[in-house]
Amino acid sequence: MVARVKLGFLSHLILISFAGVYCYEPNWDSLDTRPIPSWYDDAKLGIFIHWGVFSVPSFSSEWFWWNWKGLATPAVLAFMAENYPPDFTYGDFAKDFTAEFFDAAEWVEMFESSGAKYLVFVSKHHEGFTNWPSKYSFNWNSLAVGPNRDIVGELMNATRQTSNLHFGLYHSLFEWFHPLYLADKATGFKTQDFVNQKTLPELYEIVNTYKPDIVWSDGDWEAPDTYWKATDFLAWLYTDSPVKDTVVVNDRWGKNISCHHGDVYTCGDRFNPGVLQKHKWVNAMTIDKHSWGYRRNARLEDYLTIEELLQTFIITVSCGGNMLMNVGPPKHGHIDPIYEERLRQMGSWMKVNGEGIYGSRPWTYQNDTLTSHVWYTKKTDAGRTDVYAFVFYWPESNTFFLAGPKTTAASTISLLGYPGYFSYSTRQPSGVDIIVPAIPINKLPCDWIWVFKITAVAN
C-alpha cells in the first residue's frame, strides 16, 4: 500500500508518496497535473488498427451494425436484403471473422517499417466484440467465436518480442445495443449497471493483463464522465496500475471532456488545426478517407496518396501533434497491399528525414510566410537551436527563399540525406536565400518532401 500525505489546501492536486512516486486523486484538477510520459511526445507517429466483426461485412464502415439497425441507412439495408436471409443477425457475422492469415509478427514488422514508434489496436469497438477472451463478454469475444484466438495477446507478444514499438489499446466505453447500457441510458444515466458490470471490469482487465502504454478511450459522448467513473479509473491508472509510469491516455472520458482533459487531446477524428496548440494533441486519421474499418468496395481514389499522408503528418508535427495513422485489415487478417505500400513508403521517407521528426518540438514559426508549403520543427541542445524546414515542393529555381530562420555566424545549411553544405545569404531582419545546386533526380535523398536543416539559428 502506498502511503499518501495530503498537501493541505492543495489536496485536490498531486499527492506524494513516501516512496517519491506521484499519486493522484480521482478529480480532473489532480489528474491534469500529471506530466505526459516523454516517450510519447518524442515518438510522433503511431499506427491505429481497426479490426473486428465489422470487418466481415466490410461495407459502409466499422459502424455497420449501427448504420443497419440504428440509423437504418438505405444503402446498408439494401446490402443486407440483397446478400443475406431475412433472419440474419449481426451476431451471425462473427463466425466468419476467421483471421486465418493473421500473423502478429508480420503485422508488427510492417508497422515498425513505417517509422512508427507505437501502435493502438482496437480491443473492442462499439459493437462490443472483444478481441481478447474477456470474462465480461461471454460468447462475444475472439476466443469463443470467430478466430478462436486471443488476438490482443498475440499482438502484444509480437510487439514486445520482435520490435521496439510501444503497445497501446483502444477500448470503447459504450456498446450500441447492450441491454445494460440501454437500461442505464433510459434512466438518464442515473444507474451505472453497465459501467460497473462491463466497462470498468474490462478496462481493469486489459490493463492488468496486457499492460498497454496507451489506453485510448472512445464511445464516451452520450454520458458524463461521472457516469463512466472516469476519474476513479484514471486515478488508479496513474497511481497504482502496472503501467502508471508509462501510460498515455486520450481525452474521451465523458460528454464535454474531449479537448479539455487527458494526457493528449483528440478533439475529434482527423483533428488537424494547422496552428500551434497549447496542449499536446493527436491527429487520429485514416489512410482510407472514408472509413476506419476495411471496405471491400473502396476505390483507389479513396486512399490518401503518400504525398497527402506526409503533408498531413508534417503539419501535425509542426503544430505540436502526433499522428495516429489507421489501417483496416480484412476479416482474414492479411493487410492489403495498398496499406502496406503506404506504410513502407512512410518508412523510407522517415529513414532519411526522421532527424527532423523524432524528438523535435514546434519552432517559433510553424510555416514560412515567404515561400508557401514550408513547415518547421526544431531541436535544441546545449543552448543551440537547429531548425528543420520541410519543403513540400522542390524549388523551381536555384535559389530557395525562406523568411523564418535568422542565421548566426555559426549557422550551416544542409539537405537531410545529401552530403555537404549549401551556400546561402541572409535576409533582414530574418530569413535566408539558399543556393540550391543542380541535383540529378536520381541523387535526391528521397522522392517526396525534402528537409533543409539550418543550424544555430538566433530565433
Side-chain angles (χ1 to χ4, degrees):
M1 176 68 70
V2 178
R4 301 177 179 86
V5 178
K6 290 191 175 183
L7 302 181
F9 69 92
L10 295 179
S11 61
H12 67 289
L13 299 177
I14 302 177
L15 299 174
I16 302 178
S17 76
F18 292 123
V21 178
Y22 288 116
C23 304
Y24 298 89
E25 288 188 335
N27 59 72
W28 291 116
D29 283 344
S30 176
L31 298 171
D32 286 345
T33 63
R34 179 182 185 258
I36 189 170
S38 60
W39 74 261
Y40 182 86
D41 201 9
D42 291 340
K44 306 305 181 189
L45 181 64
I47 304 299
F48 218 167
I49 312 103
H50 276 66
W51 202 37
V53 173
F54 51 81
S55 305
V56 177
S58 55
F59 178 78
S60 178
S61 77
E62 72 288 349
W63 280 56
F64 181 89
W65 194 6
W66 180 254
N67 292 338
W68 176 24
K69 293 296 185 178
L71 293 181
T73 305
V76 174
L77 291 175
F79 172 82
M80 291 305 300
E82 293 167 5
N83 295 283
Y84 296 92
D87 59 347
F88 195 91
T89 69
Y90 188 79
D92 292 329
F93 281 122
K95 69 182 186 307
D96 293 323
F97 180 35
T98 49
E100 67 266 31
F101 296 136
F102 168 60
D103 184 326
E106 186 178 83
W107 277 23
V108 169
E109 185 278 328
M110 192 183 301
F111 298 152
E112 192 167 40
S113 77
S114 73
K117 297 299 184 183
Y118 60 96
L119 62 86
V120 177
F121 179 65
V122 171
S123 68
K124 185 193 80 169
H125 201 255
H126 312 323
E127 64 188 13
F129 185 89
T130 67
N131 278 315
W132 81 97
S134 177
K135 300 174 185 176
Y136 310 99
S137 189
F138 174 76
N139 207 35
W140 193 232
N141 67 73
S142 63
L143 189 63
V145 63
N148 301 128
R149 299 161 69 173
D150 178 1
I151 301 296
V152 172
E154 290 183 36
L155 190 57
M156 175 200 69
N157 289 332
T159 301
R160 291 181 174 148
Q161 292 170 7
T162 68
S163 79
N164 293 313
L165 296 172
H166 287 267
F167 180 73
L169 290 174
Y170 165 112
H171 175 269
S172 175
L173 296 175
F174 91 141
E175 298 173 22
W176 288 309
F177 302 111
H178 197 289
L180 288 179
Y181 179 73
L182 296 178
D184 285 351
K185 186 175 179 179
T187 70
F189 299 110
K190 293 181 175 62
T191 59
Q192 293 173 293
D193 292 335
F194 180 74
V195 174
N196 293 330
Q197 298 179 43
K198 196 72 165 62
T199 301
L200 284 179
E202 285 179 350
L203 281 169
Y204 287 115
E205 187 177 46
I206 61 173
V207 171
N208 285 317
T209 304
Y210 304 108
K211 301 175 178 59
D213 286 333
I214 294 176
V215 175
W216 182 280
S217 182
D218 197 12
D220 61 315
W221 54 84
E222 291 187 343
D225 59 304
T226 50
Y227 167 75
W228 297 116
K229 297 187 176 179
T231 56
D232 291 331
F233 171 73
L234 292 175
W236 169 82
L237 188 69
Y238 289 171
T239 302
D240 295 316
S241 81
V243 291
K244 59 184 174 63
D245 297 324
T246 57
V247 73
V248 175
V249 304
N250 66 338
D251 56 350
R252 300 181 183 184
W253 295 99
K255 188 176 182 180
N256 299 323
I257 296 300
S258 179
C259 227
H260 294 91
H261 300 290
D263 293 324
V264 55
Y265 292 173
T266 65
C267 303
D269 293 345
R270 303 178 182 86
F271 179 65
N272 193 13
V275 293
L276 184 63
Q277 301 295 292
K278 294 180 179 179
H279 191 281
K280 184 64 186 181
W281 61 283
V282 59
N283 178 1
M285 48 75 70
T286 58
I287 295 176
D288 178 342
K289 300 173 187 176
H290 306 293
S291 177
W292 301 81
Y294 181 73
R295 294 187 303 136
R296 287 179 288 170
N297 61 332
R299 301 170 62 87
L300 180 62
E301 65 191 28
D302 293 337
Y303 296 95
L304 293 174
T305 66
I306 184 58
E307 292 90 348
E308 290 170 325
L309 283 171
L310 285 170
Q311 290 177 15
T312 300
F313 178 49
I314 290 160
I315 293 171
T316 297
V317 173
S318 179
C319 296
N322 282 18
M323 190 168 86
L324 188 57
M325 183 171 63
N326 181 76
V327 300
K331 66 174 185 176
H332 51 66
H334 181 72
I335 295 174
D336 268 18
I338 188 70
Y339 286 113
E340 180 178 3
E341 181 182 56
R342 294 294 181 270
L343 293 172
R344 296 194 187 280
Q345 286 173 327
M346 181 74 76
S348 70
W349 184 87
M350 291 282 267
K351 284 180 181 178
V352 175
N353 302 297
E355 178 187 335
I357 296 291
Y358 302 124
S360 69
R361 297 294 183 265
W363 186 44
T364 307
Y365 309 102
Q366 277 60 67
N367 56 323
D368 199 73
T369 57
L370 184 60
T371 300
S372 62
H373 304 296
V374 174
W375 293 77
Y376 293 107
T377 64
K378 74 169 184 181
K379 283 186 175 179
T380 301
D381 183 49
R384 190 185 90 168
T385 296
D386 298 338
V387 165
Y388 300 86
F390 295 79
V391 181
F392 286 5
Y393 306 106
W394 186 254
E396 294 182 355
S397 69
N398 65 349
T399 305
F400 187 57
F401 309 100
L402 295 176
K406 185 175 183 179
T407 57
T408 65
S411 294
T412 62
I413 298 180
S414 59
L415 181 68
L416 292 187
Y418 190 79
Y421 297 106
F422 291 2
S423 300
Y424 67 91
S425 58
T426 60
R427 287 173 164 264
Q428 295 299 328
S430 66
V432 291
D433 295 347
I434 305 171
I435 308 303
V436 182
I439 303 173
I441 191 169
N442 64 335
K443 298 296 183 181
L444 285 172
C446 55
D447 293 331
W448 330 272
I449 304 185
W450 301 268
V451 184
F452 289 95
K453 178 181 180 180
I454 304 102
T455 67
V457 300
N459 57 343

